[in-house]
Amino acid sequence: MRILGIETSCDETGIAVYDDQQGLLSHQLYSQVKLHADYGGVVPELASRDHVRKTIPLIKEALELANCTKDDIDAIAYTAGPGLVGALLVGSCIGRSLAFAWDKPAIAIHHMEGHLLAPMLEENKPDFPFVALLVSGGHTLLVQVDDIGEYTLLGESIDDAAGEAFDKTAKLLGLDYPGGPRLAKMAEQGIAGRFKFPRPMTDRPGLDFSFSGLKTSAAVTIAREGKDAQTQADIAYAFQEAVIDTIAIKCKRALKQTGLKRLVVAGGVSANTALREQLAATMKKLGGEVFYPRSEFCTDNGAMIAYAGMQRLKAGHTQGLEIKAKPRWPLQDLESVNASL
């Protein structure tokens, strides 16, 4: 079976074709970074308009690269949420309409389930169960994953997501959008130990995150000290170190709480090299293993939506004629793939 995946939840248009026997046949990704750079962040209306402009051409390219036509496609999966409602509606309307026109099943996919399953596209796949850290610009979640659709929320951010904190702090340092990767690059030139920021909510029980106070501490330090390039690099280093330490502490706590030895890390921030090094060291000490998607599948992409759609299709989870777009959609509300088997 072959499935077409469509991702338009924020500022990337991702299209992919996935075959359940041959694996990923093609994937196309268009980033709107240049479009939003002048505004210092994503402008929802502009994002929606650009998805309208790019989605159909990318679908044509993905089909051509996969050497197939609409007749070779068995279903269409599209991101239904969470995300920017206008952007979601573009992908949802196109995905559901194509499914109707081509007389194919349609599957509405949860964006974070796509991220969670992205490591399954790699040769070294994690076995169930595992703990998943989903860390991006809009979400920071710790989830116990017993199977596809069997999710227990362990902890989440009560304010800014980790990626959002990275971007906001980068902006305070005068870095261009997207700030997170630029801050990480600046931190490579920083000197360890000059500044020390708090590790939020690590001195109390629980697995929730909070990064707004850390961002405020960085803002105060930048205003007071951040006049020259080296000082700014030192602040970037200390800020990144605090975020990564906090995440590592919470992951370690989640693994001990669940008794699991496998950790999946996905989402845009999972591409951060320093985070990967820290979590690799943490898992080595625990005698466990950490799994990631390849770098190009850390950010939003159509391949993860196509893969998730294939698993749902095989379980018989298809949509009616309604067009689904859910800007807020709790991950734990999803149905297990085993529920229909």
Side-chain angles (χ1 to χ4, degrees):
M1 289 192 296
R2 290 182 179 180
I3 192 164
L4 176 70
I6 301 173
E7 157 61 30
T8 64
S9 66
C10 190
D11 60 342
E12 274 107 12
T13 311
I15 309 295
V17 177
Y18 183 84
D19 185 285
D20 65 338
Q21 299 298 318
Q22 301 177 56
L24 189 63
L25 300 181
S26 70
H27 67 97
Q28 294 289 291
L29 184 66
Y30 172 76
S31 173
Q32 300 178 359
V33 165
K34 291 182 179 179
L35 176 67
H36 301 289
D38 290 341
Y39 304 95
V42 177
V43 180
E45 177 64 20
L46 295 181
S48 301
R49 291 181 183 183
D50 220 36
H51 286 309
V52 170
R53 185 172 66 90
K54 296 298 294 185
T55 302
I56 294 297
L58 286 176
I59 290 174
K60 291 179 178 178
E61 290 178 20
L63 289 173
E64 183 176 349
L65 285 171
N67 194 29
C68 63
T69 69
K70 64 181 179 64
D71 297 325
D72 300 308
I73 298 298
D74 295 288
I76 297 175
Y78 62 88
T79 300
L84 302 176
V85 66
L88 291 169
L89 278 169
V90 175
S92 297
C93 288
I94 291 174
R96 190 64 197 83
S97 298
L98 280 180
F100 178 77
W102 294 354
D103 193 24
K104 311 289 184 180
I107 306 104
I109 297 299
H110 193 292
H111 179 73
M112 299 312 292
E113 181 173 62
H115 276 303
L116 186 153
L117 296 177
M120 301 297 185
L121 292 163
E122 310 302 327
E123 288 187 14
N124 184 28
K125 304 175 184 179
D127 294 324
F128 298 104
F130 55 77
V131 169
L133 169 69
L134 304 177
V135 58
S136 66
H139 304 272
T140 304
L141 304 172
L142 276 168
V143 182
Q144 179 175 329
V145 180
D146 294 313
D147 205 335
I148 298 174
E150 296 179 20
Y151 308 131
T152 302
L153 181 65
L154 302 174
E156 61 185 334
S157 179
I158 62 174
D159 42 55
D160 291 351
E164 184 180 5
F166 262 100
D167 287 340
K168 288 180 177 178
T169 303
K171 192 170 185 178
L172 292 169
L173 287 165
L175 300 175
D176 292 335
Y177 173 84
R182 298 179 191 276
L183 186 150
K185 186 69 175 177
M186 177 184 279
E188 293 176 4
Q189 307 304 316
I191 298 172
R194 183 177 174 189
F195 297 102
K196 184 76 172 180
F197 292 127
R199 276 60 174 162
M201 296 181 70
T202 58
D203 59 348
R204 67 188 76 174
L207 295 170
D208 286 337
F209 299 88
S210 172
F211 293 109
S212 64
L214 173 57
K215 179 195 66 186
T216 300
S217 295
V220 171
T221 305
I222 292 166
R224 185 181 66 240
E225 307 279 354
K227 307 302 181 187
D228 62 89
Q230 185 58 56
T231 297
Q232 290 185 340
D234 296 343
I235 292 171
Y237 181 97
F239 173 81
Q240 177 174 262
E241 182 182 49
V243 173
I244 290 172
D245 280 353
T246 299
I247 289 173
I249 289 168
K250 297 287 185 173
C251 286
K252 182 178 179 180
R253 193 177 291 177
L255 290 161
K256 287 188 174 181
Q257 178 177 308
T258 60
L260 298 174
K261 294 291 186 179
R262 288 181 290 271
L263 176 67
V264 161
V265 186
V269 182
S270 69
N272 183 287
T273 302
L275 175 63
R276 291 191 174 213
E277 291 174 353
Q278 177 83 313
L279 291 178
T282 298
M283 294 307 294
K284 185 176 181 180
K285 290 179 181 177
L286 294 175
E289 190 174 1
V290 61
F291 300 84
Y292 299 95
R294 70 195 76 167
S295 295
E296 62 188 312
F297 293 158
C298 289
T299 54
D300 297 348
N301 63 88
M304 67 184 192
I305 302 305
Y307 180 85
M310 181 63 75
Q311 309 316 307
R312 295 272 166 195
L313 177 65
K314 287 183 174 182
H317 297 184
T318 59
Q319 308 304 133
L321 290 175
E322 74 277 11
I323 294 173
K324 289 193 174 184
K326 300 180 179 181
R328 295 185 182 275
W329 190 4
L331 185 64
Q332 58 271 28
D333 287 357
L334 293 178
E335 184 179 5
S336 168
V337 293
N338 294 317
S340 301
L341 298 178

